Each structure stands twice: as structure tokens, then as C-alpha cells.
Amino acid sequence: MKLMKIITKFILNLTSVGSIVLIATLNASQFAVMGVPPNVTDIPPTRSGGPRFIQPREDIDYRPPTQPGRPVRGGCASISQLGLTALMPTNKMGRTVSDYPTFFFYLPKTEAESAEFILKDPSGKQIYKQDVTISNLSGVIGVNIPANQNLPPLEVGNSYTWDFTVICDSQDRSSDQSESGTVKRVEISADIRSKLDQADPRQKTFIYAENGIWQDALSNLAAARRDRPNDAVLKADWESLLDSVTLGKIAKEPIVQTKPQP
């Protein structure tokens, strides 16, 4: 009987210890869940030190424009894993605070000699067109909308659609390569504006990216990289920013200069 009492007491103690461990585990899980911010799936994964783009919640459900019958890859592109690609979030929606923003595209090796960029107002009317010489070019290119008397600045609150097309054969446009997307001009708060006014060029990229201003985050960083192409920190920032919108494969491609056609 005495032996049975000792065994029973040992089992009860062992069970108590197991219960304490289980409770501690559950409490740790609860605290972990409490520490996760709401809608964490909307926040892109963080890469140490680099800027990460966070798309505004109201833009996430936006669906990109489609162009039936106009393939992304046409007959003049070289065989490559990377085709013509707009440097944009996956749904091709980007915000800007600029009157005349810049758009960026990855251009694969191609036999084409020219491309065209078209901007349309909210009603679908073409308001700007730029012909671009792309002979012997491959890499990331920027298309600037120039500030001139023929084109008023983008209006705050309005969304504009754009098309960038590589013209494979000017006589037969069925083989064109094309990308389309939307840019929305927005106003930023006085608080964000104050932070930008006090920020250095690198910090501005972080501020734009964290506040969902894609076009300006990318343009600002691209300009810095053109000025300092061998800067390892800016190179890492570029890779981090593109990786945050699933364009990591393009991040190592060179930034090349284009020439608008007369």
C-alpha cells in the first residue's frame, strides 16, 4: 500500500508538470498572436535594411487593364526567361505625387528599334504619346513625361492609364509586345511632406515606399543609382524595393538610358 501511494503521488506530480508546460506553451502562443498587427498578410516580408513597398489597402483589389490579342511577348524578343515587364506592383497600379511622373520598364534583348508610350486621361482619351528609340538596348529603362505647355500636370485624385509597346514590325502591329497599367495622382499629408522635406535622398525612398507612393519611390531610387552606380547600399535598396513587388529577378539588370525620338 505504501508503495502504491508513492507511485500515485509521482504520477500526479508528473501530470502537474505537464499541465504547467502546456499552459506556458499556450500563453506564449497567445502572446505571439497578440503581437501580430491586424491584416499582417497585407504587409510584404521584410528584407533587412532595404525599403519595402506597402500598397494602400484601397488599391489592393484593383484589377489591371487587359489588352486582348496583344501578347506580352511578341515575335521580336530574344529567348529569355524575362519578357517585357513594367516595374510596378503586381496589379499594375501605382500612385504618384508628381505632376509629371516617370515610368520604368524592363526591356529584354530585342530586334525592335522603337517603342511607344501612351498616356490616357480618366475618360480614355489619349493625352500624351512618346516614341522611344530602343535599338541595341536591354535593361531597365525610364520614360519621362516632360513638363511642357502641351500637357497639363496630372490632376490630384485622377487615375490615368498608360500603354508601353515595343514595336516589332511597324507594318504589322500584331506582333507587338505591350504592357499596360494605371497611375493615380494623390496628395500626401502635411506630416509626410514634412518628413520628406527633412529627409536625405535615400530616406525619401523609404518614406515613399512605406506610404504607398510607388512611382516616386522607384524614381527617386533610380535617380540615386544613376548618380552613384557603384554604391553598394543603393544597389541593395534597389533589390529590396523590387523584391517587395515580386520583381527580384529584374533587380540585377542594368539601368540604361533611352532617347526620345524627335
Side-chain angles (χ1 to χ4, degrees), residues 77-203:
S78 64
I79 299 175
S80 171
Q81 291 184 342
L82 299 175
L84 175 66
T85 306
L87 271 59
M88 296 283 292
T90 54
N91 64 355
K92 306 296 175 63
M93 161 61 84
R95 294 188 172 205
T96 185
V97 298
S98 300
D99 293 342
Y100 302 95
T102 300
F103 301 82
F104 291 86
F105 306 91
Y106 168 71
L107 181 70
K109 290 183 179 180
T110 175
E111 298 174 1
E113 298 181 352
S114 63
E116 64 181 17
F117 176 86
I118 293 176
L119 184 69
K120 300 175 183 178
D121 68 14
S123 70
K125 177 184 176 181
Q126 177 179 314
I127 57 175
Y128 178 71
K129 178 181 178 182
Q130 182 181 132
D131 295 317
V132 184
T133 298
I134 59 172
S135 299
N136 302 315
L137 287 182
S138 177
V140 174
I141 63 173
V143 177
N144 301 301
I145 299 180
N148 57 47
Q149 297 180 353
N150 296 325
L151 179 66
L154 302 190
E155 295 183 11
V156 172
N158 282 350
S159 295
Y160 300 77
T161 56
W162 52 259
D163 301 298
F164 181 78
T165 304
V166 172
I167 303 172
C168 294
D169 183 349
S170 59
Q171 303 302 315
D172 180 9
R173 300 293 298 272
S174 64
S175 60
D176 286 356
Q177 301 173 64
S178 185
E179 281 276 74
S180 301
T182 302
V183 60
K184 182 177 182 179
R185 171 78 191 279
V186 297
E187 190 62 80
I188 54 177
S189 68
D191 178 58
I192 296 176
R193 176 63 65 187
S194 177
K195 291 178 180 178
L196 287 168
D197 290 341
Q198 301 174 46
D200 62 33
R202 182 170 184 252
Q203 291 171 335

Side-chain angles (χ1 to χ4, degrees), residues 15 29 32-34 36 41 54 62 66 78 98 117 135 143 158 169 172 189 196 205 211 215 218 223 226-228 230:
T15 303
S29 300
V33 171
M34 290 172 63
V36 175
T41 55
I54 301 177
Y62 174 81
T66 58
S78 64
S98 300
F117 176 86
S135 299
V143 177
N158 282 350
D169 183 349
D172 180 9
S189 68
L196 287 168
T205 298
N211 288 280
Q215 300 291 157
L218 189 65
R226 281 194 294 263
D227 291 340
R228 291 182 285 169
N230 298 320

